Amino acid sequence: MNRTLEYYLRLPYRVVLHPAEEGGYAAEIPELPGCISQGETMEEALKNIEAAKASWLESAIEDGIEIPEPTAQDEYSGKLNIRMPKSLHRALAERAREERISLNQLIVYHLARGVGYRR
């Protein structure tokens, strides 16, 4: 199905904003590879990423490139089943017992720390 630029511009793409090494802020849209912009302020970076998104989408449509749609937040339930060696399971359970927290809390804490997750 051929979708228009306006269709894609209305989709809720996630924008990631972070301080730029050279000053100011960088903004990117992870679902659109290479769609990155900058600005001196957060507001400017957010304004610039919208212009970059429009250009990225327009070029992709013109070149016949498949455009990924945003990932819906409700696709993630927060539940995950994993397999691990028994020895790791034991070590984690012992550590959780030492910390007086649940095994689940310990694992979530270490996963979040490992990926640099912040709310």
Side-chain angles (χ1 to χ4, degrees):
M1 176 189 303
N2 290 335
R3 300 190 187 225
T4 65
L5 176 61
E6 290 73 27
Y7 168 81
Y8 288 107
L9 287 173
R10 285 192 303 269
L11 294 177
Y13 286 100
R14 181 172 60 103
V15 174
V16 176
L17 188 67
H18 52 88
E21 289 181 18
E22 55 279 346
Y25 293 87
E28 64 180 303
I29 299 176
E31 289 96 351
L32 306 178
C35 187
I36 300 170
S37 191
Q38 288 186 258
E40 290 298 316
T41 65
M42 285 191 253
E43 293 80 13
E44 184 180 5
L46 290 171
K47 179 182 171 193
N48 291 343
I49 194 64
E50 288 303 313
K53 176 175 73 172
S55 295
W56 192 102
L57 292 167
E58 189 172 26
S59 294
I61 290 169
E62 287 175 4
D63 295 341
I65 296 171
E66 185 176 335
I67 300 172
E69 294 196 8
T71 305
Q73 283 299 106
D74 60 355
E75 287 184 30
Y76 303 102
S77 68
K79 294 180 181 181
L80 173 68
N81 291 321
I82 61 170
R83 301 241 182 256
M84 67 181 80
K86 290 178 183 180
S87 59
L88 176 58
H89 190 173
R90 183 182 68 239
L92 289 168
E94 289 172 357
R95 182 67 177 270
R97 205 171 9 260
E98 290 169 9
E99 300 284 334
R100 295 191 171 144
I101 60 175
S102 72
L103 177 58
N104 189 62
Q105 286 175 309
L106 179 79
I107 291 171
V108 168
Y109 168 75
H110 283 289
L111 287 172
R113 220 173 122 208
V115 298
Y117 176 77
R118 292 186 201 124
R119 278 193 150 180

